[in-house]
Amino acid sequence: MTAAPKSKKSPGPSKTPQGLLRELPPTDRGARRRAALIAAARKVFERSGYVNTRLSDITEEAKCSAGTFYTYFKTKEEIFAALLETVQEEMLHPGAGSEVVDAASAYEVLEASNRAYLASYKRNGKLMGLLEEVALVDPVFGDLRQRRADAFISRNARNIAELQKRGVADPDLDPELTARALSAMVSRTAYRYFAAATGRKRVNFDKLVETITRIWANALRITP
């Protein structure tokens, strides 16, 4: 359960292992060049896949020299991690807040949260698919994937506990266990429709949001 922010907030703690992140460039020009490299890398990774991508492919796409690349990144792993970092805040939206006052508003916030998350996942589907693939063979990215999952679970558990406190969700549910089960349902459904390399199936987006929201609401015993 994750909702789009109403105002711009500072990024949360990084989920990326610090060994894969360098300090950001101190100048605007350096920041623009680094961002251009990351944008080029995204195009190449999504087009060629992680394994088949070469650093020369990225520099060619970015129209820069190898020397320029090495000014900002040492390896393919580093720039892939930096790319994932750029979508961290977009994917991890703040959840239900003080606007929840009763079951009806809780359902509305829940629906908006699911819509925002699924829309973000759809926009970043290829990248999320690459993360799943790389996580299976690289322990560093496997750890990164787990950190991301834990962040969603922790946020959803806090939201469920808050809904229980407000008297609009089943008080007998364990917030963390419930968050783990429902978060896994949403993330794997999103992966199936928006990221899986094989077996993709067309789905009506509004129907998907409606279905997932009803499952969440039924599990928490929230009646709109």
Side-chain angles (χ1 to χ4, degrees), residues 8-46:
K8 186 175 181 180
K9 298 185 179 182
S10 59
S14 172
K15 306 299 178 294
T16 306
Q18 291 304 301
L20 286 178
L21 293 178
R22 295 194 196 184
E23 292 185 6
L24 296 177
T27 66
D28 290 342
R29 184 173 183 274
R32 288 194 299 271
R33 172 53 70 184
R34 181 180 183 274
L37 280 165
I38 292 174
R42 178 167 189 159
K43 291 181 180 179
V44 177
F45 282 130
E46 292 184 345

Side-chain angles (χ1 to χ4, degrees), residues 103-158:
S105 63
Y107 194 94
E108 290 174 357
V109 170
L110 180 57
E111 183 176 41
S113 301
N114 285 325
R115 183 176 297 278
Y117 173 78
L118 291 169
S120 180
Y121 200 111
K122 185 177 181 180
R123 284 193 298 272
N124 296 288
K126 289 185 178 179
L127 186 58
M128 293 300 98
L130 288 174
L131 175 57
E132 293 284 340
E133 294 173 14
V134 178
L136 293 175
V137 297
D138 188 322
V140 173
F141 286 102
D143 178 66
L144 172 59
R145 182 190 178 283
Q146 189 59 54
R147 287 170 185 246
R148 286 174 51 82
D150 290 343
F152 278 105
I153 291 167
S154 295
R155 176 159 290 174
N156 287 339
R158 290 194 300 271

